[in-house]
Amino acid sequence: MCVCFKRLFAILLFVSLGWVGSVPAQEITLAESEVSAFLNSYSASFGTKSAEEVAVFFHVPMSVVFDTGVVVMTRNLDVVRYVQSIQNNLVAVDYAYSIWTDVRIKEMHPRLVVASTSAVRYNGDNGTIAATGSTYVLRKTEEGWKIATFISNVCQFRGHNTFHG
């Protein structure tokens, strides 16, 4: 296991331990508030924007972790193609919108945040397509927040084997 993946795993383990059990309500930080708004914009963008416009939400380089392996994208073109593949999968299932069912955001540093999310995706008839869960590592850059690492689950869709993203 590479050192970078070990560090990422340690960060995610630390954050997840902070979410276990009953935790009293705490005031959210500015970074957590900004990332919450960022994630809402990111989610809404998939149904309304081109892959090039959605790609601006991602940091380059960026890594995506699936159960089948890790993909590192070092060029903006790689990120655009990745986003297009997600959008193509969503079009194939008549995707219309998503609603977050759970969002947990933890500031690790004012410029580094980890977010764990659950969402339900709906089609044009307001029918459920899939329930998803993802974890994001976000970094604040000069251009604003960017997704540096995306950890995806595998979802079952109507009539489709698997879907990442």
Side-chain angles (χ1 to χ4, degrees), residues 108-129:
M108 306 304 292
H109 179 276
R111 295 170 38 106
L112 182 63
V113 169
V114 177
S116 177
T117 66
S118 297
V120 176
R121 291 187 172 142
Y122 296 91
N123 64 20
D125 296 326
N126 295 320
T128 301
I129 297 172

Side-chain angles (χ1 to χ4, degrees), residues 20-133:
V20 174
S22 89
V23 178
Q26 299 177 8
E27 190 172 319
I28 64 170
T29 67
L30 176 60
E32 291 166 349
S33 177
E34 290 173 351
V35 166
S36 179
F38 172 89
L39 288 174
N40 285 328
S41 294
Y42 164 72
S43 177
S45 72
F46 272 94
T48 61
K49 297 188 178 193
S50 70
E52 292 80 9
E53 292 173 301
V54 176
V56 300
F57 288 92
F58 295 94
H59 192 282
V60 177
M62 148 183 186
S63 60
V64 181
V65 181
F66 300 110
D67 62 333
T68 56
V70 177
V71 176
V72 177
M73 294 172 240
T74 59
R75 303 175 304 159
N76 191 57
L77 179 60
D78 298 330
V79 174
V80 169
R81 287 179 178 161
Y82 168 71
V83 170
Q84 186 63 59
S85 72
I86 294 171
Q87 288 179 323
N88 289 342
N89 286 334
L90 292 172
V91 166
V93 293
D94 188 30
Y95 172 81
Y97 63 96
S98 297
I99 295 179
W100 298 113
T101 57
D102 187 28
V103 178
R104 297 176 184 225
I105 300 170
K106 179 69 176 170
E107 179 182 315
M108 306 304 292
H109 179 276
R111 295 170 38 106
L112 182 63
V113 169
V114 177
S116 177
T117 66
S118 297
V120 176
R121 291 187 172 142
Y122 296 91
N123 64 20
D125 296 326
N126 295 320
T128 301
I129 297 172
T132 68

